[in-house]
Amino acid sequence: MNKKEMKTLIKRSRKFVKPFRVTDDRFRLKDIDPGDTLDLTSEDKPRAKEALAMGIEVLAELQDMLYAQDNWAVLLIFQAMDAAGKDGAIKHVMSGVNPQGCQVFSFKAPTSEDLDHDYLWRCMKCLPERGRIGIFNRSYYEETLVVRVHREFLEKQKLPPELVTKDIWKERFQDIRSFERYLTRNGVAIRKFFLHVSNKEQKKRFLERIEEPEKNWKFSANDAKERGYWDDYMEAYEDMIRNTATKAAPWYVVPADNKWFTRVIVAAAVIDALAELELTYPKVSEGKLKELAAAKRALQAGK
Ligand code: ATP
Ligand code: MG
């Protein structure tokens, strides 16, 4: 792909993801339809797949520059209800990037060691190095989601009781905003994705997991039980996004009932994020250029 094609794709990506990008507290979850595919129909699926393949190529190129420049780090956070397609989106979108420049961490229920620390502790240890893309499959945002929906998790956190007040969620949002601002100011670019699947589609996917032997391993009875708390989760998600969406660390609320569409949006958002950093390959010094020329001459003269 040449420079011009790359530029066009970057421009198109930015425009494409704009309707799903949330940067302030005016967001309403009901404004995003999980089944949305913009003006694309399932007939456009092959074209979307082609676009994704091209996107992945651009992403690989941008990541190469990120790595070479070694100034910025990129943190991509994925949150979603079960079976929304987090794993698949991560797998497809990152398929073309150099594994050396990318790391994925999954955050499950905290261990007893985790619970002996503040809640950001386990995530801080996994932050990406400069030049790398770090992916959080779930994250500290669970602290305002599952922990909010199930109070018993909060009780297990061994917090001093006087610190657990009705303001705790507001305080967590504040702390997360500050933490993300701190990271941004240190050269960690953050993008957050909520893969928004509908209740109906989740049910369909769970049934597939039960009916298809190759998918059985993905099914957990507890996931199905969580469906009973659907409305509580949606409320928590909306409040979380409204309170933590900022210009520097935006949320993307991605329609997730159609996997092909989800993946194109995520790829486009990551391309946009990397492009915004205006990455360039490091400039080589005069001395280094001389050294290169001398090495070339020596190689050509030798056997
Ligand atoms: P999969 O798609 O494979 O099921 P998953 O991300 O759902 O992947 P699980 O093994 O189901 O992985 O573990 C995730 C579970 O851990 C989720 O139910 C999530 O809510 C829970 N979890 C994550 N962080 C916390 C936390 N801080 N406190 C309590 N529970 C948490
Ligand atoms: Mg699960």
Side-chain angles (χ1 to χ4, degrees):
M1 188 177 299
N2 62 40
K3 281 238 154 57
K4 198 166 156 230
E5 285 170 323
M6 200 164 140
K7 258 199 166 147
T8 313
L9 207 137
I10 288 171
K11 249 198 187 150
R12 271 178 33 207
S13 300
R14 173 154 310 165
K15 210 171 132 208
F16 192 54
V17 295
K18 209 165 166 235
F20 309 105
R21 182 178 166 119
V22 184
T23 54
D24 59 35
D25 61 0
R26 284 172 304 180
F27 170 73
R28 288 264 180 273
L29 195 53
K30 66 169 171 44
D31 294 341
I32 304 279
D33 170 11
D36 191 11
T37 53
L38 290 172
D39 52 351
L40 304 171
T41 64
S42 58
E43 272 163 38
D44 297 305
K45 234 163 119 169
R47 262 186 38 221
K49 280 199 175 144
E50 228 172 85
L52 181 59
M54 271 166 70
I56 287 168
E57 219 180 290
V58 173
L59 209 62
E61 176 83 26
L62 290 167
Q63 186 219 12
D64 201 49
M65 282 196 263
L66 181 81
Y67 191 82
Q69 200 184 46
D70 207 17
N71 293 144
W72 287 95
V74 174
L75 174 62
L76 308 175
I77 295 180
F78 287 84
Q79 288 290 156
M81 296 297 282
D82 278 299
K86 273 186 289 119
D87 294 17
I90 294 168
K91 187 167 101 183
H92 279 83
V93 174
M94 303 315 285
S95 61
V97 308
N98 177 355
Q100 287 211 72
C102 178
Q103 259 183 319
V104 186
F105 294 95
S106 299
F107 294 96
K108 311 205 176 234
T111 63
S112 58
E113 191 189 13
D114 295 335
L115 291 172
D116 268 333
H117 295 268
D118 61 281
Y119 68 80
L120 285 176
W121 179 77
R122 65 174 179 159
C123 295
M124 279 198 224
K125 290 190 297 182
C126 301
L127 288 170
E129 295 164 61
R130 297 190 196 285
R132 312 283 167 112
I133 299 177
I135 295 177
F136 284 1
N137 183 348
R138 301 188 190 272
S139 64
Y140 45 85
Y141 279 106
E142 292 290 333
E143 294 294 331
T144 71
L145 296 167
V146 68
V147 179
R148 191 171 184 182
V149 171
H150 296 285
R151 284 295 287 235
E152 60 273 25
F153 287 128
L154 187 62
E155 277 148 32
K156 280 196 203 133
Q157 294 190 345
K158 306 206 286 184
L159 289 160
E162 59 271 33
L163 297 184
V164 183
T165 70
K166 64 172 183 14
D167 292 330
I168 188 153
W169 313 116
K170 204 175 86 193
E171 289 166 0
R172 287 190 169 188
F173 293 142
Q174 251 170 21
D175 294 336
I176 290 173
R177 280 199 305 267
S178 309
F179 175 60
E180 292 185 349
R181 194 181 54 192
Y182 159 79
L183 290 178
T184 305
R185 286 174 171 167
N186 272 276
V188 182
I190 306 169
R191 296 293 181 276
K192 304 168 299 203
F193 298 89
F194 168 44
L195 307 192
H196 185 24
V197 74
S198 67
N199 184 293
K200 200 168 140 220
E201 178 65 22
Q202 191 201 47
K203 179 173 168 180
K204 192 178 136 219
R205 291 185 189 172
F206 279 167
L207 286 171
E208 276 167 17
R209 289 180 177 187
I210 294 170
E211 275 149 25
E212 293 175 29
E214 306 78 46
K215 289 190 181 171
N216 282 174
W217 64 274
K218 282 195 199 172
F219 183 77
S220 126
N222 192 55
D223 292 351
K225 214 180 85 203
E226 283 305 282
R227 284 175 58 75
Y229 300 94
W230 189 271
D231 292 346
D232 296 342
Y233 272 109
M234 291 305 114
E235 230 175 84
Y237 266 109
E238 184 177 75
D239 202 34
M240 172 193 88
I241 292 166
R242 292 180 61 144
N243 280 283
T244 56
T246 61
K247 279 217 165 59
W251 274 101
Y252 290 89
V253 180
V254 186
D257 278 6
N258 298 283
K259 288 180 180 170
W260 58 274
F261 187 72
T262 309
R263 289 166 191 174
V264 177
I265 297 277
V266 173
V270 180
I271 289 171
D272 188 27
L274 286 164
E276 248 178 64
L277 302 178
E278 296 185 5
L279 302 163
T280 50
Y281 284 106
K283 281 244 163 15
V284 171
S285 68
E286 202 61 30
K288 179 87 184 171
L289 284 174
K290 276 192 187 138
E291 199 183 298
L292 290 173
K296 186 174 168 185
R297 278 194 305 274
L299 279 166
Q300 284 170 336
K303 275 189 214 149

